[in-house]
Amino acid sequence: MRLYLIRHGQTDSNVKHLLDTAHPGAPLDELGLSQAEALADRMADVSLDAVYSSDLLRAVQTATPLAARRGLEVQQLPGLREIPAGVEEMNEDWSVYLATLDKWMTDPLAKLEGGEDANTFMTRFDDAIAQIAAANEVAALVSHGAALRVWTPFRATNIQTGTGAHRRLANTAMIVAEGDPEAGWRVLSWGDEPIG
């Protein structure tokens, strides 16, 4: 199948560089709402069986124009949520959060107080992807920056694990991948960059 993995549009928390990972999260700001409409425009010629999002408000709002233009409902999956920041929630210093995610390469049980370890995150995100793959040939999902940059290299056969943190994924940018949960995924493009 083909997956379009899309980061949500801009929020005020993005602008203020706040670790906003908890439910329901900040809504899209004015620019973010425009980005969501522009995403639907960019994907107007893409055939989709379904549109999914995490249940955080910004992801649902980003997915809504994309689904609406096709007469589809946004299917919310909590498994697509952002990696929780726990005690670092709403901090403007991301260093502890990012350092914890970096540790997952060697210590999958590392986590922040109130957060998730790698095994917990990967299991819930994998479960959401498996649900999508079981029901569709082509689907779009709207998720979150850290979640997509961590999950994709771990599950892609053509991207080195741990390199996602070094790949930018702007608001409403997407990763296009083909494959399935059993065989793995091959990334065709990351943002505007084709992947060989």
Side-chain angles (χ1 to χ4, degrees):
M1 77 164 299
R2 177 170 285 203
L3 273 180
Y4 293 87
L5 302 111
I6 304 161
R7 186 184 174 205
H8 62 79
Q10 181 177 282
T11 70
D12 187 55
S13 296
N14 292 151
V15 174
K16 294 177 179 175
H17 202 67
L18 299 175
L19 267 172
D20 182 2
T21 67
H23 187 273
L28 296 180
D29 64 14
E30 187 174 337
L31 177 58
L33 292 168
S34 296
Q35 290 171 332
E37 292 292 341
L39 172 68
D41 291 341
R42 287 192 342 252
M43 297 189 71
D45 295 331
V46 176
S47 176
L48 295 172
D49 298 329
V51 177
Y52 295 83
S53 77
S54 88
D55 60 346
L56 299 187
L57 181 57
R58 59 192 178 272
V60 177
Q61 288 180 305
T62 303
T64 296
L66 183 61
R69 293 199 195 178
R70 292 164 167 78
L72 299 171
E73 294 290 326
V74 176
Q75 299 180 58
Q76 297 180 40
L77 296 178
L80 298 176
R81 280 187 186 181
E82 181 61 288
I83 300 168
V87 294
E88 296 294 313
E89 183 72 12
M90 299 308 283
N91 196 337
E92 61 186 21
D93 178 359
W94 292 42
S95 58
V96 174
Y97 178 73
L98 295 176
T100 302
L101 301 186
D102 285 342
K103 283 183 192 173
W104 286 1
M105 288 290 300
T106 55
D107 181 6
L109 297 180
K111 70 175 188 174
L112 294 166
E113 182 182 341
E116 291 175 331
D117 61 33
N119 294 337
T120 302
F121 164 68
M122 294 300 291
T123 297
R124 61 132 165 128
F125 210 92
D126 283 342
D127 288 349
I129 295 294
Q131 183 176 337
I132 294 168
N136 305 283
E137 286 299 318
V138 184
L141 67 89
V142 179
S143 185
H144 305 271
L148 293 173
R149 291 196 328 251
V150 169
W151 181 83
T152 304
F154 267 98
R155 294 299 183 243
T157 59
N158 62 329
I159 293 183
Q160 183 179 353
T161 305
T163 61
H166 306 290
R167 292 180 181 270
R168 178 153 171 70
L169 195 64
N171 292 111
T172 66
M174 72 180 74
I175 299 164
V176 181
E178 288 186 345
D180 61 67
E182 290 75 34
W185 301 91
R186 182 171 181 80
V187 173
L188 305 180
S189 62
W190 187 300
D192 295 329
E193 177 191 357
I195 304 294

